Amino acid sequence: MKRPTIADIARRAGVSKGAVSYALNGQPGVSEATRQRIVAIAQEIGFNPNSAARALSGASARAVGLTLCRPARILSIEPFFMGLISGFEAELAARSYALTLQVVATPEQEIEVYRRWWGERRIDGVIVTDLREDDQRIPVLHQLQLPAVVIGGPGDTGRIAQVWSDDAGAITETVRYLVALGHRRIARVGGLPDLLHTQTRTRAFNDICTALGLNEAVTMPSDYTGEEGGRATRRLLIGADRPTAVIYDNDVMAVAGLAVAQEMGLAVPGDLSIVAWDDSPLCSLVHPPLTALSRDIAEYGAHAARELLAAIDGKPVGNVEAGTAHLTPRGSTAPPRA
């Protein structure tokens, strides 16, 4: 995985390495048009002249990057990412690698962070989360030749390896479990709709509900926060044919949904059964404790870190399916009242 150099810029611009040096350092010797062309090429391939000495030395940054396109307030209460990061750290620390984390507002900002980190030699590779359909980050990572591993999928990531879990299988198991308890009106409060794993879950939910004849099944989109999860729950429960069971795409929204149900005078699980995706201590601390889809999130993160370190070392890596989340029944699910 070759880092961009002055020679790369010179070759693409059709000029000498000296001309590139003049242009990037603001020295005379090249025309303004040539200077602008060279600067544009340097930005495109992620070259930063302030890090040229490090590039020449061939030194490793001994760090990997993680950029999260999520509001920072979500991360402060999101057990999933805390578990994932603990898994990263367990593997990285064993190899004396650091984790560089940055929160951004848009995918475009995320791409700019990748260009800057790689050009400034701050990282040796990146872990990518929240894969999207036709994800604009993937071709940029290929162009930069930046070692990367994607958590999530499966999706079209070219030669970039993915570590993913069978979300479709997990949602299918959950719906079948609720139907076996006697539920016929099942709803789901989903995560961010543009994320590939959210779309996978939504399709699987619709498919299994159709196959089982659950014509009133509905998915309410949300953003993983307790506030939005609570609002979505209220919209579901004030309807004439309110659901008797709700599946939430994360534990934070499920806890908020439990609070809303109790606020409205509904008994859980007598009037409403609740299932949370990704088990966490939150699910066991509330009353009743929440039935949840459980998986080893720290190991999920550790697996991704191992794959990335292998890619940084130039070893062949490929897509890996991690363990499917399994249902852990607790006090929040039961047969619906007649």
Side-chain angles (χ1 to χ4, degrees):
M1 297 295 183
K2 179 174 171 289
R3 296 180 185 274
T5 65
I6 286 178
D8 296 328
I9 300 172
R11 184 168 55 254
R12 292 187 59 166
V15 298
S16 68
K17 289 190 288 185
V20 173
S21 179
Y22 294 150
L24 295 180
N25 289 292
Q27 297 175 347
V30 293
S31 69
E32 185 57 31
T34 300
R35 186 188 312 278
Q36 291 179 4
R37 187 169 81 256
I38 289 171
V39 169
I41 292 171
Q43 291 175 342
E44 179 184 341
I45 67 174
F47 179 84
N48 189 305
N50 295 329
S51 302
R54 187 181 185 102
L56 289 172
S57 72
S60 168
R62 307 297 294 180
V64 303
L66 174 65
T67 305
L68 299 177
C69 188
R70 298 280 187 91
R73 63 188 178 87
I74 294 179
L75 300 179
S76 66
I77 59 169
E78 176 60 88
F80 172 80
F81 277 110
M82 295 303 100
L84 202 64
I85 289 172
S86 73
F88 297 157
E89 287 287 2
E91 289 296 320
L92 296 175
R95 290 275 303 274
S96 298
Y97 271 76
L99 178 67
T100 301
L101 172 66
Q102 184 159 342
V103 177
V104 297
T106 67
E108 290 76 18
Q109 290 179 359
E110 187 172 346
I111 288 172
E112 289 308 309
V113 170
Y114 291 152
R115 292 187 186 280
R116 185 177 74 252
W117 278 350
W118 188 233
E120 294 176 355
R121 280 66 182 173
R122 294 189 182 185
I123 55 162
D124 298 313
V126 292
I127 297 172
V128 181
T129 65
D130 292 338
L131 188 64
R132 297 167 175 84
E133 194 169 4
D134 298 322
D135 199 307
Q136 60 184 302
R137 298 170 296 176
I138 301 304
V140 173
L141 292 171
H142 281 135
Q143 177 193 51
L144 295 175
Q145 298 185 60
L146 173 55
V149 167
V150 172
I151 292 181
D156 184 10
T157 59
R159 65 176 180 273
I160 298 175
Q162 301 172 66
V163 178
W164 59 283
S165 180
D166 182 11
D167 284 358
I171 198 77
T172 299
E173 177 191 359
T174 303
V175 172
R176 288 189 179 278
Y177 167 73
L178 293 171
V179 169
L181 288 176
H183 294 277
R184 301 296 298 174
R185 296 196 304 275
I186 302 173
R188 175 172 158 264
V189 176
L192 296 166
D194 64 326
L195 301 185
L196 193 61
H197 72 263
T198 303
Q199 295 172 11
T200 298
R201 295 177 184 183
T202 300
R203 283 194 298 269
F205 179 73
N206 292 340
D207 289 346
I208 187 60
C209 288
T210 298
L212 297 177
L214 307 180
N215 299 322
E216 299 177 42
V218 62
T219 290
M220 190 77 69
S222 189
D223 67 354
Y224 296 113
T225 64
E227 294 85 354
E228 286 301 313
R231 292 189 187 99
T233 303
R234 286 190 188 90
R235 289 196 294 271
L236 288 169
L237 297 183
I238 61 176
D241 295 320
R242 62 174 176 79
T244 61
V246 181
I247 304 168
Y248 292 84
D249 264 19
N250 77 347
D251 47 356
V252 174
M253 294 194 298
V255 170
L258 172 65
V260 168
Q262 293 172 339
E263 160 202 313
M264 296 178 67
L266 299 177
V268 177
D271 297 318
L272 181 71
S273 285
I274 290 177
V275 179
W277 201 299
D278 280 328
D279 201 359
S280 76
L282 285 178
C283 297
S284 298
L285 291 173
V286 295
H287 181 77
L290 299 181
T291 294
L293 284 158
S294 305
R295 57 179 170 170
D296 190 339
I297 299 171
E299 175 55 29
Y300 197 40
H303 204 143
R306 287 194 295 270
E307 292 296 309
L308 178 58
L309 291 172
I312 290 171
D313 290 341
K315 299 175 182 176
V317 295
N319 296 346
V320 177
E321 181 179 353
T324 302
H326 62 275
L327 200 64
T328 301
R330 295 195 183 100
S332 68
T333 48
R337 288 177 178 166

